[in-house]
Amino acid sequence: QVQLVESGGGLVQAGDSLRLSCAASGRTVSSYTMGWFRQAPGKEREFVAAITWSGGSTYNVASVKGRFTISRDNAKNTVYLQMNSLKPEDTAVYYCAAALGIAGSVKDRYIYWGQGTQVTVSS
């Protein structure tokens, strides 16, 4: 079993930055693909970014357009999402997830999920 705990969310103004962290416990996630998803009120949970065990990354370009960067520190069993130039439409609960093998943006391939952290961006 893998437990994932997100942190770093909060209330910010448009144009500000936040860095989300996802700490894993239970077993090392160095061989897992790690992803970030988000869910706004009344909307489906959508893919934000993912990073493979070796550091290869993919993004929901339409949503983040080079503003977000995913990274991981396998020694700390932690994944990060650096979010710059935040917009009100980035407001959502952000979830960290872990998948065995290649998962990319495919939500159903992620088998472990955190409880989420709220990000609110005011205009």
Side-chain angles (χ1 to χ4, degrees):
Q1 283 285 355
V2 174
Q3 292 78 45
L4 303 173
V5 178
E6 303 94 337
S7 62
L11 172 62
V12 297
Q13 293 187 329
D16 286 349
S17 298
L18 278 176
R19 188 176 81 154
L20 304 183
S21 298
C22 172
S25 61
R27 63 174 62 179
T28 179
V29 292
S30 60
S31 61
Y32 286 68
T33 291
M34 301 299 295
W36 286 98
F37 292 76
R38 66 186 183 185
Q39 188 166 18
K43 294 188 176 181
E44 295 284 326
R45 191 171 298 188
E46 71 168 352
F47 170 74
V48 176
I51 187 166
T52 66
W53 67 271
S54 60
S57 58
T58 60
Y59 296 92
N60 183 337
V61 177
S63 297
V64 303
K65 293 181 181 177
R67 298 182 295 123
F68 292 6
T69 303
I70 189 170
S71 61
R72 67 190 299 163
D73 186 336
N74 287 335
K76 295 183 177 179
N77 232 20
T78 301
V79 178
Y80 305 97
L81 185 68
Q82 177 67 43
M83 305 186 296
N84 299 327
S85 302
L86 283 162
K87 304 176 180 180
E89 51 263 43
D90 295 318
T91 295
V93 177
Y94 284 71
Y95 297 91
C96 175
L100 287 171
I102 302 297
S105 62
V106 183
K107 187 171 53 179
D108 290 345
R109 292 183 182 171
Y110 290 85
I111 56 176
Y112 300 110
W113 292 83
Q115 294 300 306
T117 185
Q118 176 71 47
V119 172
T120 304
V121 184
S122 63
S123 58

